[in-house]
Amino acid sequence: MKRLISMNKLNNFSIISSLLDNDFYKFTMQNAVIKLFPFAKAEYEFINRGKHSFPKNFDKILKENLNRMAYLKLSSEERIYLEKYCPYLDSSYLDFLNKYQYNPKEVNIYQNGKNIKMNIEGLWSSTILWEVPLMAIISELYYKLTGAKRISDKKIVILTKEKLKKYKKLKVKIGEYGTRRRYSYQVHKLVLKILIEEGSPFFIGSSNVHLSHFFSIKPIGTQGHEWIMFHAAKHGFKKADRIAMENWLNIYKGKLGIALSDTYTSSVFFKNFNKKLSETFKGVRHDSGNPLFFTQETIKHYKKFQINPIKKKIIFSDNLDPCKVSYISSFCQKKINPFFGIGTNFTNDVGVPSMNIVIKMVKAIPEKNWISVVKLSNVEEKSTGKKNMIFLAKKILHL
């Protein structure tokens, strides 16, 4: 009976209350998509990496939350915020966002026992915004419906301050990237409040646009793997990184200049990261594999083109905590500038196991036909896509 009452309450509770409650790179990519690929279609799939068991009727409550998202609209205040803090998002895109509404019909959800299957399909320019808020909803609902008890707000504040103390001692630049696997919106907001109030001058911002608006700070982020995955469907695996970067430059003219390095492994990325691109982009993002080896390879790559690595950045974003940040920053010292995007360790370090879930693009229509897309990553467990397509990609790339 208690579970039924809690479910009824949840049916009247919206987890996502703003169109901007999403990662910034979703909006930057959406802007690029509507300008370059307005008719492209995409399909995404939910992947339950952690083999989590979902409670009965989870799919129904999830659908209720998605249906409410159809009523979210960009407010005039939110538009003014974007105009002020994100000038590289031009007025034509903001006009598009003014009219944008989530379409729940794009999302298909099935529950079979304790397993959830989900796919999202439609125009890429429309479906691109679903991934992050969907994951945030799944995470928060999962904890609520399974009765997972977190530590108190007071303990979260103490824990966050302790981490900040360590980062300040290391004198490293850190950002918060934790929307998609947060314990809850409330925890996310609390943690970000502490980071803003006590993180200066080392805290550089949050990837969450809605909370950045709430706290009047600039959002951070550039692009995700799907940008490059789509380019592979359109241009092939060998050239995908290079053409994706060139198109990014055409849209942003050097702004938001961090290149993502591991969609088809870093070794393939560096082959595409030619002198012009290496000079123009401000740095690279590391999201999988050995961070120290990647740092060495990045420095070596820059030196090959007579580019001083100390003028470039590496944004590390792979499952970070104070211990990992400490040894990475120590290794980078006086060689290259490290920045750290910390996600789950900020927004879901609350005394319960964090979820291991992802939503990834699995197919795209660049022109006429559906093409399966894959991500290879630098580690096997982070690769996504059909096995036969992964095998083909590795064969073509000689991996």
Side-chain angles (χ1 to χ4, degrees):
M1 188 67 179
K2 278 185 179 180
R3 175 58 53 83
L4 184 62
I5 292 168
S6 67
M7 283 188 174
N8 287 335
K9 283 182 180 178
L10 280 168
N11 277 332
N12 298 312
F13 173 73
S14 292
I15 289 171
I16 304 294
S17 59
S18 166
L19 187 70
L20 298 185
D21 192 359
N22 207 325
D23 278 342
F24 183 52
Y25 75 174
K26 282 293 179 174
F27 298 105
T28 59
M29 287 192 293
Q30 186 183 48
N31 175 43
V33 169
I34 62 172
K35 287 179 169 59
L36 298 179
F37 312 110
F39 304 111
K41 290 186 177 180
E43 183 181 342
Y44 300 80
E45 195 174 277
F46 171 69
I47 304 167
N48 183 7
R49 282 181 179 161
K51 310 291 184 194
H52 305 286
S53 295
F54 290 93
K56 190 179 178 184
N57 294 324
F58 188 91
D59 58 333
K60 293 181 176 63
I61 299 171
L62 181 55
K63 284 175 186 175
E64 285 290 330
N65 266 272
L66 302 198
N67 289 337
R68 285 195 200 94
M69 286 176 69
Y71 300 99
L72 298 176
K73 295 281 284 180
L74 188 74
S75 71
S76 55
E77 190 185 342
E78 287 171 332
R79 175 164 180 151
I80 291 166
Y81 164 78
L82 292 174
E83 287 171 342
K84 180 180 177 182
Y85 286 88
C86 313
Y88 22 75
L89 299 178
D90 61 23
S91 58
S92 66
Y93 171 65
L94 296 182
D95 289 343
F96 170 88
L97 206 56
N98 260 130
K99 296 170 185 172
Y100 179 87
Q101 286 180 281
Y102 281 105
N103 179 5
K105 289 179 181 177
E106 293 170 342
V107 186
N108 297 299
I109 305 164
Y110 314 92
Q111 181 161 358
N112 183 11
K114 295 183 177 182
N115 192 32
I116 291 285
K117 289 191 179 295
M118 178 167 49
N119 74 300
I120 305 153
E121 186 182 314
L123 280 173
W124 191 20
S125 58
S126 175
T127 55
I128 196 167
L129 292 191
W130 277 113
E131 176 194 347
V132 175
L134 251 177
M135 287 178 66
I137 292 170
I138 291 167
S139 184
E140 186 159 349
L141 280 180
Y142 178 81
Y143 292 122
K144 284 182 185 297
L145 292 175
T146 56
K149 295 284 169 66
R150 65 171 174 87
I151 58 176
S152 66
D153 284 3
K154 186 179 178 181
K155 286 181 179 176
I156 289 172
V157 170
I158 292 167
L159 192 59
T160 306
K161 286 182 178 181
E162 284 173 355
K163 290 172 189 172
L164 264 181
K165 204 176 195 181
K166 291 174 183 176
Y167 293 134
K168 283 184 170 184
K169 192 175 179 182
L170 293 168
K171 297 183 177 178
V172 293
K173 298 287 186 184
I174 56 165
E176 180 273 304
Y177 283 19
T179 304
R180 66 189 60 220
R181 296 183 193 92
R182 65 193 183 195
Y183 178 88
S184 68
Y185 173 80
Q186 182 192 347
V187 167
H188 192 177
K189 193 174 181 181
L190 175 63
V191 168
L192 188 53
K193 183 174 183 285
I194 302 303
L195 293 174
I196 292 166
E197 288 176 351
E198 308 207 12
S200 182
F202 301 105
F203 179 66
I204 58 171
S206 169
S207 65
N208 187 286
V209 187
H210 160 64
L211 289 173
S212 295
H213 170 225
F214 182 85
F215 290 109
S216 298
I217 60 172
K218 184 179 179 179
I220 56 174
T222 52
Q223 61 187 249
H225 294 100
E226 69 185 277
W227 179 250
I228 300 134
M229 291 160 74
F230 175 85
H231 281 79
K234 188 169 175 64
H235 300 285
F237 296 112
K238 287 185 176 180
K239 297 188 290 185
D241 280 305
R242 177 177 59 79
I243 299 174
M245 285 185 276
E246 288 170 350
N247 278 336
W248 196 255
L249 286 179
N250 290 337
I251 296 294
Y252 291 110
K253 315 300 180 192
K255 305 280 187 186
L256 305 174
I258 299 296
L260 185 53
S261 64
D262 70 331
T263 312
Y264 298 110
T265 74
S266 296
S267 60
V268 172
F269 166 79
F270 284 123
K271 288 173 186 173
N272 280 270
F273 201 36
N274 59 35
K275 191 173 195 294
K276 182 188 173 185
L277 293 170
S278 297
E279 287 174 338
T280 307
F281 277 83
K282 295 180 178 71
V284 296
R285 178 155 77 93
H286 169 270
D287 197 49
S288 64
N290 186 311
L292 306 191
F293 176 75
F294 178 80
T295 302
Q296 287 176 321
E297 290 300 298
T298 304
I299 291 167
K300 183 178 163 187
H301 177 83
Y302 281 130
K303 286 183 174 178
K304 180 178 76 176
F305 292 131
Q306 284 80 52
I307 297 169
N308 186 354
I310 208 69
K311 293 182 178 179
K312 297 293 183 178
K313 302 173 182 176
I314 300 181
I315 314 292
F316 294 93
S317 60
D318 182 22
N319 194 26
L320 298 173
D321 57 31
C323 181
K324 287 182 183 176
V325 169
S326 176
Y327 77 74
I328 294 170
S329 63
S330 174
F331 186 80
C332 291
Q333 203 166 30
K334 295 182 180 177
K335 298 172 189 168
I336 197 163
N337 293 302
F339 287 70
F340 300 91
I342 298 158
T344 309
N345 189 252
F346 270 150
T347 61
N348 202 348
D349 185 16
V350 295
V352 300
S354 57
M355 296 196 81
N356 187 3
I357 55 174
V358 294
I359 293 173
K360 289 293 178 187
M361 182 189 280
V362 290
K363 288 180 187 174
I365 300 181
E367 288 160 359
K368 292 180 180 178
N369 302 311
W370 284 106
I371 296 173
S372 292
V373 298
V374 300
K375 171 179 170 258
L376 296 186
S377 186
N378 288 321
V379 289
E380 197 70 38
E381 59 267 27
K382 278 192 150 188
S383 296
T384 61
K386 289 186 176 179
K387 286 182 180 178
N388 62 334
M389 203 61 167
I390 290 174
F391 177 81
L392 178 63
K394 286 181 175 179
K395 188 176 179 182
I396 289 170
L397 297 170
H398 306 294
L399 296 173

